[in-house]
Each structure stands twice: as C-alpha cells, then as structure tokens.
Amino acid sequence: MVFIAMSLCVSCNKDDEEQNGGSNQTLATVTTDEVTEITATTATCGGEVTRENGWAVTERGVCWSTEPNPTPSDSHTIDGDGIGKFISEITGLTPDTKYYLRAYAKNAAGTSFGPEKSFTTESGGGGGGSYAGHEYVDLGLSVKWATCNVGADNLWDYGDHFAWGETTAKSNYDWTTYKWCNGSGNTLTKYNMNSSFGTVDNKARLESADDAAAQNWGDGWRMPTRAEWQELCDNTTIAWTTQNGVYGWLFTGTKPGYTGVSLFLPAAGLRTGESLYYEDLYGDYWSSSRNSSYPYAAYRMRFPSDNQDYGARCNGLAVRPVR
C-alpha cells in the first residue's frame, strides 16, 4: 500500500519515473535538503529545483522508502511545480525505522532526483519513546517532555540545579557568582531590557548557548518556555504523590488519546547560596523566559501551584528538558 503525504499526491506510472537515459541533458536539476524535525512518525525535508533545462517542471516533491533509491511510485509528496525551493512535510512513518529519501522533479524528459538522504525515526510514539539517549513522554502537546531532570539518572532524582542562563552546576548560588552580572542584580550584562539594571540587549528568551538542557543534552533538547509550562498544566491533572520514596507531582494527560499518560516531577526545591531549600515540599523548575517586568528574574514553575511566578536568576533551580 502506498501512503500519500498530501491530498494532492497521485499514483504514478513507473515508466514515467525512469530517468531518460537518451536525453539526460534535458532533465531538471534538483537538490535534496537535510531531513529535520524527525519524530516517531513524521519528519521535514524538501529541496530545490535549480534548473528546468528547457522543459517546465510540472511536479516536484520528495519520495521515501525503507529501501534505497525511492521513486514517486513509493510514498511521496507533491510540493508544487516550477523552479525554486520547496518544503515537504513527511507523515505516516513507522517508529524506530530507517528510511531513504530524495527530492524529485518531473518534466517532459522524465523524472530527475536529488542526492539520497537516510534517517531513522524515533522509537515510541503515542505515550512516549526515546531520543538521543533520553526518554520522553508524549502528552499530545506542542512539545515532548523528558522523563527526568538534567543531571538525573532516574525520574525521581532531583538532578542538578542551575542558575538561569548558566549551563553547569556549582556550589554557591548568589549574585557574586552569577555569570550574567557584575556582582549584583542591577548590574546585568545580558538578558535585560531596562538600563536601571545594567546593559540593555532586550533579549527575553535564553539563547541555546545559555540553555542548560540544550548544552547538556543537545540534539534538539531545550528548556521549556513559559507558555509550554502553562500548556502542560492546562492539559493534565496534577496530583501530589511519591516515586521511589521521593515526593513530587504527577501530571496525567487529559487530551483524547493521551489519557493515562503521566509525567513525574520531583519536588527538587531550590538552591540559594550554598544551601538547598524546600526539597520534598516544592518543585521549582526554570522556564527559558525572562520576566517581562523585572529583568533580574525569570519565570519558573513552582508546584504544587499550577500558576507561574518568578525567581531571582542567580538561584539554582531544576531543569526539565523538552523537544
């Protein structure tokens, strides 16, 4: 059975797809982009028709298969016609499977192909899976949530604590040790929109180089935004519980198809100075979003409340990655 990724896709005659060996000079020239945004069942690719070579390109897209050298007789997209770049959304893939993909372009001379790429889909799907050595939970939201904190070996471990915008753990969390200031909360050197608090750059969200999840896990992992934390709360039920004797909050999915899928966040507390406070009482987790009114603070999710507040950027909080 041939899976078609877009409603415009049509069945093709195999003879039409063979390159015309007697007139290769008239085939269109097409390139293949790198495959990105790979999940268990989807991916993004595309390509570019750089030359039509005298014959108008009537169809272009990408084709893929579990065997090398796919053609449009296999699963494919149709992404317009003519010369230029195009983007292809690939759907209907099987988890944990290697695929071969290449761009194609059709004109009156036949079908030409760009260089072949290969990629492997993530394992899991539905309720969860793993990516780049880290497990995640799929709650049907805009991002997938990691099952444990940065620095943790198990879902109930606190893991490491990080100052906002720093990527390594340390022993003392205060303004004198904070990377993005000159010793105080009103001498900020980055992520500031108010000259009363230091150097102004108007950056409101952490760059990847300053993101503890991105720098420690890589491969598309990052810290959640303020909006993504809220999305988690709005689409789950939240219950106080324990895992392996550790207190924390269990988030259970409520979206159709994801009910019963759960995510545990231990009450990891926060670090101020050289001390850890509120462990087993509160779960303080950073977002990647700076506070919109007070630049010395960033938004955090503090459970058991499902409302976000903010904390001083120099404090050490847990980090739960998303991708």
Side-chain angles (χ1 to χ4, degrees), residues 97-117:
T97 301
K98 184 175 183 178
Y99 286 92
Y100 299 88
L101 174 149
R102 54 183 178 171
Y104 73 91
K106 292 183 179 182
N107 65 11
T111 303
S112 56
F113 297 95
E116 184 174 84
K117 309 288 184 180

Side-chain angles (χ1 to χ4, degrees), residues 12 36 50 61 69 77 114 123 130-131 168 202 228 230 232 250 258 278 317 323:
C12 303
T36 62
T50 57
N69 303 315
T77 66
S123 60
S130 63
Y131 185 79
T168 57
N202 293 312
E228 288 161 350
Q230 195 59 52
L232 175 66
L250 189 69
Y258 298 90
Y278 308 124
L317 273 63
R323 70 173 307 277

Side-chain angles (χ1 to χ4, degrees), residues 26 37 41 61 70 124 131 150 181 183 187 193 207 219 231 237 242-243 258 274 282 290 309 323:
T26 62
E37 300 181 20
T41 58
Y131 185 79
V150 174
C181 77
T187 58
M193 76 303 187
E207 297 176 343
D219 292 302
E231 180 189 37
T237 60
T242 61
Q243 290 278 358
Y258 298 90
E274 298 181 356
Y282 292 103
R290 173 182 51 74
D309 63 1
R323 70 173 307 277

Side-chain angles (χ1 to χ4, degrees), residues 113-172:
F113 297 95
E116 184 174 84
K117 309 288 184 180
S118 65
F119 66 99
T120 301
T121 51
E122 296 181 10
S123 60
S130 63
Y131 185 79
H134 301 284
E135 295 184 353
Y136 64 79
V137 168
D138 185 355
L139 293 158
L141 307 179
S142 62
V143 293
K144 296 178 176 64
W145 287 80
T147 59
C148 65
N149 295 342
V150 174
D153 294 323
N154 301 289
L155 61 88
W156 55 82
D157 292 338
Y158 293 167
D160 294 324
H161 292 72
F162 299 89
W164 191 82
E166 296 185 359
T167 60
T168 57
K170 55 188 181 183
S171 59
N172 184 28

